[in-house]
Amino acid sequence: MDSLEGGLRRRASTTSCSTCYAWASFLIWTVIIFLLIFGIVFFAFIRSNLPDIKVHRLDVYKLNVTKPENKNNDARLTIDVRIMVNVTNNNKKMALVYEKFDVETKVEGFSLPKIRLNGFRQNAMRGNDLKIHPRETRLMVNEDEVKDLKLNADHHEMVLNLKMNGKIQFWFKGHMISNLHIKVLCEDVEQSQIDQAVAHECNIKLGFLR
């Protein structure tokens, strides 16, 4: 009799543990699925509220080529450009706060000095123009590169590539709801199109790390 009661207690205990494990697994998977759905919805919400960023001006202030005294040496290029980028917050209720941007610029494949832009706050339905003006730089170029560069500059057909790394905060009714790193890519920007008032739209990538 004692043996029978002991067996019943063991089976009841095993059944109870199995039920607990099943409920625990169910709750864990429910939480995981909920977090996954919440993450997808939240990420989609953030994506839909990103600013519009466009390059709308490329001015060449200086483009001089100094021929080398020695034919075995490369020519020296002096270049000074200014780029205007428009950042627009199209959201009707949310403010955006941008931290400092690290900017890398290439014109016709030539890397210009890196610069840093100051951060700023942008209220709903507002736009700002950012002036990107790398300091004058001197580069060594060969004769073929000089010919192509001068020809493209004379015809306003220079090509710009711009990359900005920074951080963006999303504020709603005085509360920050997100703080993410962004990478802005403005690739193959054609000066000829910008001169015709056709702004070049940039791509924005989100991430928790740069």
Side-chain angles (χ1 to χ4, degrees), residues 108-168:
E108 289 294 307
F110 295 105
S111 296
L112 304 184
K114 296 179 181 179
I115 66 169
R116 174 168 285 187
L117 298 176
N118 292 328
F120 60 96
R121 179 184 179 90
Q122 194 173 57
N123 292 326
M125 303 301 292
R126 296 292 181 184
N128 292 76
D129 273 340
L130 308 182
K131 182 173 71 174
I132 300 172
H133 189 187
R135 292 181 180 178
E136 177 185 314
T137 186
R138 292 172 173 81
L139 305 165
M140 303 302 291
V141 292
N142 62 44
E143 189 173 349
D144 291 335
E145 291 173 329
V146 170
K147 289 179 180 178
D148 292 339
L149 186 62
K150 291 190 71 174
L151 184 64
N152 290 340
D154 290 341
H155 291 84
H156 286 233
E157 294 179 348
M158 301 183 79
V159 176
L160 165 74
N161 284 279
L162 187 70
K163 181 169 69 175
M164 300 192 295
N165 283 304
K167 211 169 185 182
I168 186 171

Side-chain angles (χ1 to χ4, degrees), residues 55 57-58 81 83 85 102-115 132 134 157-164 184-191 194 200-203:
V55 179
R57 190 160 183 174
L58 171 59
V81 301
I83 303 148
V85 177
D102 293 320
V103 183
E104 299 177 26
T105 310
K106 284 186 178 182
V107 176
E108 289 294 307
F110 295 105
S111 296
L112 304 184
K114 296 179 181 179
I115 66 169
I132 300 172
E157 294 179 348
M158 301 183 79
V159 176
L160 165 74
N161 284 279
L162 187 70
K163 181 169 69 175
M164 300 192 295
V184 181
L185 299 174
C186 311
E187 299 179 312
D188 298 327
V189 183
E190 297 181 8
Q191 186 183 15
I194 294 176
H200 182 98
E201 190 165 353
C202 303
N203 295 319

Side-chain angles (χ1 to χ4, degrees), residues 3 20 36 52 127 151:
S3 176
C20 289
L36 183 61
D52 287 334
L151 184 64

